[in-house]
Coordinates of all heavy atoms in Angstrom, one line a residue:
K153 N -0.7 -17.6 3.9 CA -0.4 -18.0 2.6 C -1.5 -17.8 1.6 O -2.6 -17.6 2.1 CB 0.0 -19.5 2.6 CG -1.3 -20.5 2.8 CD -1.0 -21.9 2.4 CE -1.5 -22.3 1.1 NZ -3.0 -22.6 1.0
H183 N 0.3 -23.3 7.9 CA -0.3 -24.0 9.1 C 0.2 -25.5 9.2 O 0.2 -26.1 10.3 CB -1.8 -24.0 9.1 CG -2.5 -24.9 8.2 ND1 -2.8 -24.7 6.9 CD2 -3.0 -26.2 8.5 CE1 -3.4 -25.7 6.4 NE2 -3.5 -26.6 7.3
Y184 N 0.8 -26.0 8.1 CA 1.3 -27.4 8.2 C 2.5 -27.5 9.3 O 2.7 -28.5 9.9 CB 1.8 -27.9 6.9 CG 0.7 -28.7 6.2 CD1 -0.5 -28.2 6.0 CD2 0.9 -30.0 5.8 CE1 -1.6 -28.9 5.5 CE2 -0.1 -30.8 5.3 CZ -1.3 -30.2 5.1 OH -2.4 -31.0 4.6
K187 N 1.5 -28.4 12.8 CA 0.9 -29.7 13.1 C 1.9 -30.5 14.0 O 3.1 -30.5 13.7 CB 0.6 -30.5 11.8 CG -0.6 -29.9 11.0 CD -0.8 -30.7 9.8 CE -1.8 -30.1 8.9 NZ -3.2 -30.4 9.2
E221 N -6.7 -35.3 -0.4 CA -8.0 -34.8 0.3 C -9.2 -35.5 -0.4 O -9.2 -35.7 -1.7 CB -8.1 -33.3 0.1 CG -7.0 -32.6 0.8 CD -7.2 -31.1 0.8 OE1 -8.0 -30.6 1.7 OE2 -6.7 -30.4 -0.2
R228 N -14.9 -22.8 -2.8 CA -13.7 -22.0 -3.1 C -13.3 -22.0 -4.5 O -12.2 -21.7 -4.9 CB -12.6 -22.5 -2.2 CG -12.8 -22.3 -0.7 CD -11.8 -23.1 0.1 NE -10.5 -22.4 0.1 CZ -9.4 -23.1 0.0 NH1 -9.4 -24.4 -0.2 NH2 -8.2 -22.5 0.1
Y231 N -11.4 -18.9 -5.9 CA -10.0 -18.9 -5.5 C -9.2 -20.0 -6.2 O -8.1 -19.7 -6.7 CB -9.9 -19.1 -4.0 CG -8.6 -19.7 -3.5 CD1 -7.5 -18.9 -3.4 CD2 -8.5 -21.0 -3.2 CE1 -6.2 -19.4 -3.0 CE2 -7.3 -21.6 -2.7 CZ -6.2 -20.7 -2.7 OH -4.9 -21.3 -2.3
D240 N -1.6 -23.8 -4.3 CA -2.4 -24.0 -3.1 C -1.7 -24.8 -2.1 O -1.8 -24.6 -0.9 CB -3.8 -24.6 -3.5 CG -4.7 -24.6 -2.3 OD1 -4.8 -23.6 -1.5 OD2 -5.4 -25.7 -2.1
M241 N -1.0 -25.9 -2.6 CA -0.5 -26.9 -1.7 C 1.0 -27.2 -1.9 O 1.8 -27.4 -0.9 CB -1.2 -28.2 -1.9 CG -2.7 -28.2 -1.6 SD -3.1 -27.9 0.1 CE -2.8 -29.5 0.8
H245 N 2.8 -26.2 1.6 CA 2.7 -27.3 2.5 C 3.7 -28.5 2.2 O 4.4 -29.0 3.0 CB 1.3 -27.8 2.6 CG 0.3 -26.8 3.0 ND1 0.6 -25.7 3.9 CD2 -1.0 -26.7 2.6 CE1 -0.6 -25.0 4.0 NE2 -1.5 -25.5 3.3
K341 N -7.3 -32.9 -4.8 CA -8.7 -32.9 -4.2 C -9.4 -34.1 -4.7 O -9.1 -34.6 -5.8 CB -9.4 -31.6 -4.7 CG -8.7 -30.3 -4.4 CD -9.1 -29.9 -3.0 CE -8.5 -28.5 -2.6 NZ -8.3 -28.3 -1.2
K346 N -9.1 -39.0 2.7 CA -8.1 -37.9 3.2 C -6.9 -38.7 3.9 O -7.1 -39.6 4.7 CB -8.8 -37.1 4.3 CG -7.9 -36.0 4.8 CD -8.7 -35.0 5.7 CE -7.9 -33.9 6.3 NZ -7.6 -32.8 5.4
Q380 N -2.4 -37.2 8.9 CA -3.8 -37.1 8.9 C -4.3 -38.4 8.3 O -3.7 -38.9 7.3 CB -4.3 -35.9 8.1 CG -4.0 -34.6 8.8 CD -4.5 -33.4 8.0 OE1 -5.3 -32.6 8.4 NE2 -3.9 -33.2 6.8
Ligands
BG6_1 C1 -5.1 -25.0 2.8 C2 -5.5 -25.1 1.4 O1 -3.9 -24.3 2.9 O2 -4.9 -26.3 3.3 C3 -6.8 -26.0 1.2 O3 -5.8 -23.8 0.9 C4 -6.5 -27.3 1.8 O4 -7.1 -26.1 -0.2 C5 -6.0 -27.2 3.3 O5 -7.8 -28.0 1.8 C6 -5.6 -28.5 3.8 O6 -5.3 -28.4 5.2 P1 -5.4 -29.6 6.2 O7 -4.8 -29.1 7.4 O8 -6.8 -30.0 6.2 O9 -4.6 -30.7 5.5

Side-chain angles (χ1 to χ4, degrees):
K153 73 164 258 282
H183 80 274
Y184 264 55
K187 289 182 190 274
E221 296 185 87
R228 297 168 75 221
Y231 155 77
D240 187 44
M241 300 291 288
H245 304 327
K341 302 275 183 206
K346 185 169 176 79
Q380 291 177 120

